[in-house]
Amino acid sequence: MPLAKAITAALRDTMADDDRTLLIGEDIGALGGVFRVTDGLQAQFGADRVIDSPLAESGVIGTCIGMAMRGYRPVAEIQFDGFVFPAFNQITTQLAKIHNRTDGKVTMPVTVRLPYGGSIGSIEHHSESPEALFAHTAGLRLVTPSNAHDAYWMTRQAIACQDPVFVLEPKRRYWLKGEVDFQNPAPDAFTAQVLREGTDATIAAYGPLVPTALAAAAAAAEDGRSVEVIDIRSLSPLDDETIARSGAKTGRLVVAHEAPTFGGFGGEIAARVSERAYHRMLAPVLRVGGFHMPYPPSQEEHRYLPDIDRMLEAVERSFSYDR
């Protein structure tokens, strides 16, 4: 099934299992959301559990905080990544801090669904990658699926978590189809996974760029390079041990994400791998990402977003270092 419909199934199954689970967001009810991820859920569960909110992201998150305090498990949808910033204060100063502020007495089992990333040919504010801003905020967990099976199980695991969790949904991959095993859960949402074994270099990516990384590894194999691919999956907490182990094994690591490399999450990964595996690395950790500029008009986004060629260029560049 498409990745988007796997999320729909996860929401439906969780709501059927636990009547404390509520959905709230702009146009998620009768419309079923901009991407139709919540299609049919209001008809099934009613308007008191699938709540169409006003156009006020701060109000959506603030309402979820109050719901969580009263024992509910709210799931907020932010319509687009670029619309999350009106809620930034509620997220970073309240949602992320209440558990610590109350010395653990009040938990915040709030899930925030955030479609993010580009390559959908949209207009300004609809193709952002703000994940580093939230990963920097202690008290928040961030996960991002790259396939339908992970999308189903990571969504369910996020809602079950007692901490606030961002599920970063790669909107360019909403229609990517894959098998979903409803009986056998995916690995723990907060761990990284090796998707392809390799010996010469590693590409670590997350969310929308994981399929691109797999395609780059397949292309490299045609030229005799054995490239390992890591799906990072969780940005906070970060499973740096799995990534560093792979980097130490192959000696070369390329980290790829759509967000700009300047101040981007790849820098955190590079620093941690350097600390853990410096003496095993044959080259510095290289980063492939967007440029340090506002997201471009849709006609130019193909120049901005990392592609197979840019990943392969970074892999080849890693072989130019000689230690």
Side-chain angles (χ1 to χ4, degrees), residues 5-31:
K5 292 305 177 186
I7 298 171
T8 307
L11 296 173
R12 179 182 295 111
D13 292 348
T14 304
M15 294 181 75
D17 290 345
D18 185 354
D19 59 11
R20 297 174 301 166
T21 303
L22 308 171
L23 311 184
I24 180 171
E26 299 164 8
D27 297 322
I28 69 167
L31 181 65

PDB file of all heavy atoms in Angstrom, residues 5-31:
ATOM      1  N   LYS A   5      -1.311   5.715   2.969  1.00  0.00           N
ATOM      2  CA  LYS A   5      -2.401   4.859   3.422  1.00  0.00           C
ATOM      3  C   LYS A   5      -1.970   3.966   4.578  1.00  0.00           C
ATOM      4  O   LYS A   5      -2.802   3.534   5.384  1.00  0.00           O
ATOM      5  CB  LYS A   5      -2.933   4.028   2.257  1.00  0.00           C
ATOM      6  CG  LYS A   5      -3.654   4.879   1.208  1.00  0.00           C
ATOM      7  CD  LYS A   5      -4.774   5.703   1.830  1.00  0.00           C
ATOM      8  CE  LYS A   5      -5.461   6.604   0.829  1.00  0.00           C
ATOM      9  NZ  LYS A   5      -6.461   7.496   1.487  1.00  0.00           N
ATOM     10  N   ALA A   6      -0.671   3.678   4.677  1.00  0.00           N
ATOM     11  CA  ALA A   6      -0.173   2.938   5.831  1.00  0.00           C
ATOM     12  C   ALA A   6      -0.332   3.778   7.097  1.00  0.00           C
ATOM     13  O   ALA A   6      -0.676   3.247   8.167  1.00  0.00           O
ATOM     14  CB  ALA A   6       1.290   2.564   5.616  1.00  0.00           C
ATOM     15  N   ILE A   7      -0.120   5.090   6.975  1.00  0.00           N
ATOM     16  CA  ILE A   7      -0.337   5.978   8.122  1.00  0.00           C
ATOM     17  C   ILE A   7      -1.819   6.023   8.468  1.00  0.00           C
ATOM     18  O   ILE A   7      -2.198   5.988   9.647  1.00  0.00           O
ATOM     19  CB  ILE A   7       0.209   7.382   7.820  1.00  0.00           C
ATOM     20  CG1 ILE A   7       1.717   7.332   7.572  1.00  0.00           C
ATOM     21  CG2 ILE A   7      -0.111   8.345   8.968  1.00  0.00           C
ATOM     22  CD1 ILE A   7       2.310   8.628   7.056  1.00  0.00           C
ATOM     23  N   THR A   8      -2.666   6.097   7.439  1.00  0.00           N
ATOM     24  CA  THR A   8      -4.117   6.064   7.677  1.00  0.00           C
ATOM     25  C   THR A   8      -4.502   4.819   8.459  1.00  0.00           C
ATOM     26  O   THR A   8      -5.265   4.882   9.434  1.00  0.00           O
ATOM     27  CB  THR A   8      -4.882   6.091   6.343  1.00  0.00           C
ATOM     28  OG1 THR A   8      -4.446   7.187   5.545  1.00  0.00           O
ATOM     29  CG2 THR A   8      -6.383   6.199   6.581  1.00  0.00           C
ATOM     30  N   ALA A   9      -3.986   3.668   8.032  1.00  0.00           N
ATOM     31  CA  ALA A   9      -4.291   2.408   8.706  1.00  0.00           C
ATOM     32  C   ALA A   9      -3.801   2.422  10.152  1.00  0.00           C
ATOM     33  O   ALA A   9      -4.479   1.918  11.062  1.00  0.00           O
ATOM     34  CB  ALA A   9      -3.667   1.240   7.940  1.00  0.00           C
ATOM     35  N   ALA A  10      -2.634   3.012  10.381  1.00  0.00           N
ATOM     36  CA  ALA A  10      -2.101   3.085  11.741  1.00  0.00           C
ATOM     37  C   ALA A  10      -2.988   3.939  12.633  1.00  0.00           C
ATOM     38  O   ALA A  10      -3.268   3.580  13.791  1.00  0.00           O
ATOM     39  CB  ALA A  10      -0.683   3.647  11.709  1.00  0.00           C
ATOM     40  N   LEU A  11      -3.456   5.070  12.115  1.00  0.00           N
ATOM     41  CA  LEU A  11      -4.346   5.931  12.888  1.00  0.00           C
ATOM     42  C   LEU A  11      -5.665   5.215  13.177  1.00  0.00           C
ATOM     43  O   LEU A  11      -6.175   5.240  14.305  1.00  0.00           O
ATOM     44  CB  LEU A  11      -4.603   7.236  12.133  1.00  0.00           C
ATOM     45  CG  LEU A  11      -3.385   8.136  11.897  1.00  0.00           C
ATOM     46  CD1 LEU A  11      -3.749   9.300  10.983  1.00  0.00           C
ATOM     47  CD2 LEU A  11      -2.813   8.652  13.217  1.00  0.00           C
ATOM     48  N   ARG A  12      -6.214   4.557  12.161  1.00  0.00           N
ATOM     49  CA  ARG A  12      -7.489   3.860  12.324  1.00  0.00           C
ATOM     50  C   ARG A  12      -7.374   2.739  13.365  1.00  0.00           C
ATOM     51  O   ARG A  12      -8.214   2.623  14.259  1.00  0.00           O
ATOM     52  CB  ARG A  12      -7.951   3.276  10.987  1.00  0.00           C
ATOM     53  CG  ARG A  12      -9.275   2.504  11.081  1.00  0.00           C
ATOM     54  CD  ARG A  12      -9.673   1.892   9.760  1.00  0.00           C
ATOM     55  NE  ARG A  12      -9.968   2.920   8.755  1.00  0.00           N
ATOM     56  CZ  ARG A  12      -9.214   3.164   7.688  1.00  0.00           C
ATOM     57  NH1 ARG A  12      -8.105   2.447   7.465  1.00  0.00           N
ATOM     58  NH2 ARG A  12      -9.552   4.117   6.847  1.00  0.00           N
ATOM     59  N   ASP A  13      -6.333   1.947  13.265  1.00  0.00           N
ATOM     60  CA  ASP A  13      -6.185   0.817  14.182  1.00  0.00           C
ATOM     61  C   ASP A  13      -5.925   1.287  15.607  1.00  0.00           C
ATOM     62  O   ASP A  13      -6.440   0.702  16.566  1.00  0.00           O
ATOM     63  CB  ASP A  13      -5.055  -0.094  13.710  1.00  0.00           C
ATOM     64  CG  ASP A  13      -5.392  -0.822  12.410  1.00  0.00           C
ATOM     65  OD1 ASP A  13      -6.570  -0.794  12.007  1.00  0.00           O
ATOM     66  OD2 ASP A  13      -4.479  -1.417  11.810  1.00  0.00           O
ATOM     67  N   THR A  14      -5.135   2.341  15.753  1.00  0.00           N
ATOM     68  CA  THR A  14      -4.866   2.862  17.089  1.00  0.00           C
ATOM     69  C   THR A  14      -6.125   3.445  17.713  1.00  0.00           C
ATOM     70  O   THR A  14      -6.407   3.233  18.905  1.00  0.00           O
ATOM     71  CB  THR A  14      -3.757   3.924  17.045  1.00  0.00           C
ATOM     72  OG1 THR A  14      -2.586   3.369  16.444  1.00  0.00           O
ATOM     73  CG2 THR A  14      -3.413   4.403  18.442  1.00  0.00           C
ATOM     74  N   MET A  15      -6.907   4.174  16.936  1.00  0.00           N
ATOM     75  CA  MET A  15      -8.141   4.755  17.454  1.00  0.00           C
ATOM     76  C   MET A  15      -9.145   3.670  17.824  1.00  0.00           C
ATOM     77  O   MET A  15      -9.897   3.803  18.806  1.00  0.00           O
ATOM     78  CB  MET A  15      -8.742   5.713  16.432  1.00  0.00           C
ATOM     79  CG  MET A  15      -7.884   6.938  16.171  1.00  0.00           C
ATOM     80  SD  MET A  15      -8.629   8.073  14.974  1.00  0.00           S
ATOM     81  CE  MET A  15      -9.911   8.818  15.986  1.00  0.00           C
ATOM     82  N   ALA A  16      -9.179   2.582  17.066  1.00  0.00           N
ATOM     83  CA  ALA A  16     -10.084   1.487  17.382  1.00  0.00           C
ATOM     84  C   ALA A  16      -9.666   0.776  18.671  1.00  0.00           C
ATOM     85  O   ALA A  16     -10.516   0.319  19.440  1.00  0.00           O
ATOM     86  CB  ALA A  16     -10.119   0.491  16.222  1.00  0.00           C
ATOM     87  N   ASP A  17      -8.365   0.727  18.910  1.00  0.00           N
ATOM     88  CA  ASP A  17      -7.855   0.027  20.095  1.00  0.00           C
ATOM     89  C   ASP A  17      -7.927   0.875  21.355  1.00  0.00           C
ATOM     90  O   ASP A  17      -7.994   0.328  22.463  1.00  0.00           O
ATOM     91  CB  ASP A  17      -6.393  -0.391  19.866  1.00  0.00           C
ATOM     92  CG  ASP A  17      -6.253  -1.499  18.831  1.00  0.00           C
ATOM     93  OD1 ASP A  17      -7.274  -2.138  18.500  1.00  0.00           O
ATOM     94  OD2 ASP A  17      -5.117  -1.710  18.358  1.00  0.00           O
ATOM     95  N   ASP A  18      -7.880   2.193  21.216  1.00  0.00           N
ATOM     96  CA  ASP A  18      -7.774   3.067  22.389  1.00  0.00           C
ATOM     97  C   ASP A  18      -8.614   4.315  22.156  1.00  0.00           C
ATOM     98  O   ASP A  18      -8.258   5.170  21.340  1.00  0.00           O
ATOM     99  CB  ASP A  18      -6.307   3.446  22.613  1.00  0.00           C
ATOM    100  CG  ASP A  18      -6.088   4.249  23.883  1.00  0.00           C
ATOM    101  OD1 ASP A  18      -7.079   4.629  24.547  1.00  0.00           O
ATOM    102  OD2 ASP A  18      -4.911   4.526  24.218  1.00  0.00           O
ATOM    103  N   ASP A  19      -9.725   4.424  22.882  1.00  0.00           N
ATOM    104  CA  ASP A  19     -10.612   5.567  22.659  1.00  0.00           C
ATOM    105  C   ASP A  19     -10.073   6.867  23.256  1.00  0.00           C
ATOM    106  O   ASP A  19     -10.696   7.918  23.134  1.00  0.00           O
ATOM    107  CB  ASP A  19     -12.025   5.281  23.181  1.00  0.00           C
ATOM    108  CG  ASP A  19     -12.068   4.963  24.672  1.00  0.00           C
ATOM    109  OD1 ASP A  19     -11.039   5.171  25.363  1.00  0.00           O
ATOM    110  OD2 ASP A  19     -13.120   4.502  25.138  1.00  0.00           O
ATOM    111  N   ARG A  20      -8.897   6.808  23.870  1.00  0.00           N
ATOM    112  CA  ARG A  20      -8.254   8.046  24.328  1.00  0.00           C
ATOM    113  C   ARG A  20      -7.521   8.751  23.189  1.00  0.00           C
ATOM    114  O   ARG A  20      -7.114   9.902  23.344  1.00  0.00           O
ATOM    115  CB  ARG A  20      -7.252   7.748  25.451  1.00  0.00           C
ATOM    116  CG  ARG A  20      -7.866   7.169  26.725  1.00  0.00           C
ATOM    117  CD  ARG A  20      -6.761   6.786  27.687  1.00  0.00           C
ATOM    118  NE  ARG A  20      -5.854   5.805  27.085  1.00  0.00           N
ATOM    119  CZ  ARG A  20      -4.647   5.490  27.574  1.00  0.00           C
ATOM    120  NH1 ARG A  20      -4.197   6.098  28.665  1.00  0.00           N
ATOM    121  NH2 ARG A  20      -3.898   4.576  26.967  1.00  0.00           N
ATOM    122  N   THR A  21      -7.342   8.069  22.064  1.00  0.00           N
ATOM    123  CA  THR A  21      -6.621   8.647  20.935  1.00  0.00           C
ATOM    124  C   THR A  21      -7.554   9.543  20.136  1.00  0.00           C
ATOM    125  O   THR A  21      -8.613   9.117  19.679  1.00  0.00           O
ATOM    126  CB  THR A  21      -6.049   7.546  20.027  1.00  0.00           C
ATOM    127  OG1 THR A  21      -5.194   6.698  20.805  1.00  0.00           O
ATOM    128  CG2 THR A  21      -5.249   8.161  18.887  1.00  0.00           C
ATOM    129  N   LEU A  22      -7.141  10.794  19.959  1.00  0.00           N
ATOM    130  CA  LEU A  22      -7.916  11.791  19.232  1.00  0.00           C
ATOM    131  C   LEU A  22      -7.041  12.406  18.147  1.00  0.00           C
ATOM    132  O   LEU A  22      -5.827  12.522  18.310  1.00  0.00           O
ATOM    133  CB  LEU A  22      -8.391  12.910  20.173  1.00  0.00           C
ATOM    134  CG  LEU A  22      -9.137  12.511  21.443  1.00  0.00           C
ATOM    135  CD1 LEU A  22      -9.317  13.733  22.339  1.00  0.00           C
ATOM    136  CD2 LEU A  22     -10.479  11.906  21.105  1.00  0.00           C
ATOM    137  N   LEU A  23      -7.656  12.821  17.058  1.00  0.00           N
ATOM    138  CA  LEU A  23      -6.946  13.516  15.993  1.00  0.00           C
ATOM    139  C   LEU A  23      -7.449  14.954  15.918  1.00  0.00           C
ATOM    140  O   LEU A  23      -8.648  15.207  16.059  1.00  0.00           O
ATOM    141  CB  LEU A  23      -7.174  12.843  14.631  1.00  0.00           C
ATOM    142  CG  LEU A  23      -6.990  11.329  14.531  1.00  0.00           C
ATOM    143  CD1 LEU A  23      -7.160  10.875  13.082  1.00  0.00           C
ATOM    144  CD2 LEU A  23      -5.638  10.895  15.086  1.00  0.00           C
ATOM    145  N   ILE A  24      -6.523  15.888  15.682  1.00  0.00           N
ATOM    146  CA  ILE A  24      -6.918  17.278  15.543  1.00  0.00           C
ATOM    147  C   ILE A  24      -6.007  17.951  14.513  1.00  0.00           C
ATOM    148  O   ILE A  24      -4.809  17.708  14.476  1.00  0.00           O
ATOM    149  CB  ILE A  24      -6.856  18.030  16.900  1.00  0.00           C
ATOM    150  CG1 ILE A  24      -7.286  19.492  16.732  1.00  0.00           C
ATOM    151  CG2 ILE A  24      -5.481  17.926  17.541  1.00  0.00           C
ATOM    152  CD1 ILE A  24      -7.461  20.232  18.061  1.00  0.00           C
ATOM    153  N   GLY A  25      -6.610  18.770  13.669  1.00  0.00           N
ATOM    154  CA  GLY A  25      -5.830  19.486  12.657  1.00  0.00           C
ATOM    155  C   GLY A  25      -6.742  20.198  11.691  1.00  0.00           C
ATOM    156  O   GLY A  25      -7.972  20.042  11.716  1.00  0.00           O
ATOM    157  N   GLU A  26      -6.140  20.964  10.813  1.00  0.00           N
ATOM    158  CA  GLU A  26      -6.894  21.778   9.857  1.00  0.00           C
ATOM    159  C   GLU A  26      -7.346  20.914   8.673  1.00  0.00           C
ATOM    160  O   GLU A  26      -6.514  20.283   8.011  1.00  0.00           O
ATOM    161  CB  GLU A  26      -6.018  22.940   9.375  1.00  0.00           C
ATOM    162  CG  GLU A  26      -5.599  23.864  10.517  1.00  0.00           C
ATOM    163  CD  GLU A  26      -4.442  24.774  10.151  1.00  0.00           C
ATOM    164  OE1 GLU A  26      -4.069  24.795   8.958  1.00  0.00           O
ATOM    165  OE2 GLU A  26      -3.908  25.449  11.040  1.00  0.00           O
ATOM    166  N   ASP A  27      -8.638  20.859   8.446  1.00  0.00           N
ATOM    167  CA  ASP A  27      -9.230  20.138   7.304  1.00  0.00           C
ATOM    168  C   ASP A  27      -9.017  18.632   7.349  1.00  0.00           C
ATOM    169  O   ASP A  27      -9.044  17.967   6.314  1.00  0.00           O
ATOM    170  CB  ASP A  27      -8.671  20.675   5.969  1.00  0.00           C
ATOM    171  CG  ASP A  27      -9.025  22.141   5.745  1.00  0.00           C
ATOM    172  OD1 ASP A  27     -10.142  22.533   6.095  1.00  0.00           O
ATOM    173  OD2 ASP A  27      -8.170  22.887   5.222  1.00  0.00           O
ATOM    174  N   ILE A  28      -8.816  18.065   8.538  1.00  0.00           N
ATOM    175  CA  ILE A  28      -8.570  16.622   8.600  1.00  0.00           C
ATOM    176  C   ILE A  28      -9.862  15.815   8.675  1.00  0.00           C
ATOM    177  O   ILE A  28      -9.832  14.596   8.527  1.00  0.00           O
ATOM    178  CB  ILE A  28      -7.681  16.248   9.804  1.00  0.00           C
ATOM    179  CG1 ILE A  28      -8.435  16.447  11.137  1.00  0.00           C
ATOM    180  CG2 ILE A  28      -6.381  17.027   9.783  1.00  0.00           C
ATOM    181  CD1 ILE A  28      -7.735  15.819  12.323  1.00  0.00           C
ATOM    182  N   GLY A  29     -10.998  16.487   8.879  1.00  0.00           N
ATOM    183  CA  GLY A  29     -12.260  15.773   9.070  1.00  0.00           C
ATOM    184  C   GLY A  29     -12.939  15.403   7.774  1.00  0.00           C
ATOM    185  O   GLY A  29     -12.622  14.395   7.133  1.00  0.00           O
ATOM    186  N   ALA A  30     -13.901  16.213   7.360  1.00  0.00           N
ATOM    187  CA  ALA A  30     -14.676  15.909   6.155  1.00  0.00           C
ATOM    188  C   ALA A  30     -13.785  15.816   4.915  1.00  0.00           C
ATOM    189  O   ALA A  30     -13.987  14.960   4.047  1.00  0.00           O
ATOM    190  CB  ALA A  30     -15.752  16.979   5.955  1.00  0.00           C
ATOM    191  N   LEU A  31     -12.779  16.690   4.832  1.00  0.00           N
ATOM    192  CA  LEU A  31     -11.881  16.668   3.676  1.00  0.00           C
ATOM    193  C   LEU A  31     -10.938  15.478   3.709  1.00  0.00           C
ATOM    194  O   LEU A  31     -10.534  14.962   2.673  1.00  0.00           O
ATOM    195  CB  LEU A  31     -11.075  17.972   3.611  1.00  0.00           C
ATOM    196  CG  LEU A  31     -10.106  18.115   2.434  1.00  0.00           C
ATOM    197  CD1 LEU A  31     -10.871  18.160   1.106  1.00  0.00           C
ATOM    198  CD2 LEU A  31      -9.230  19.349   2.590  1.00  0.00           C
TER     199      LEU A  31
END
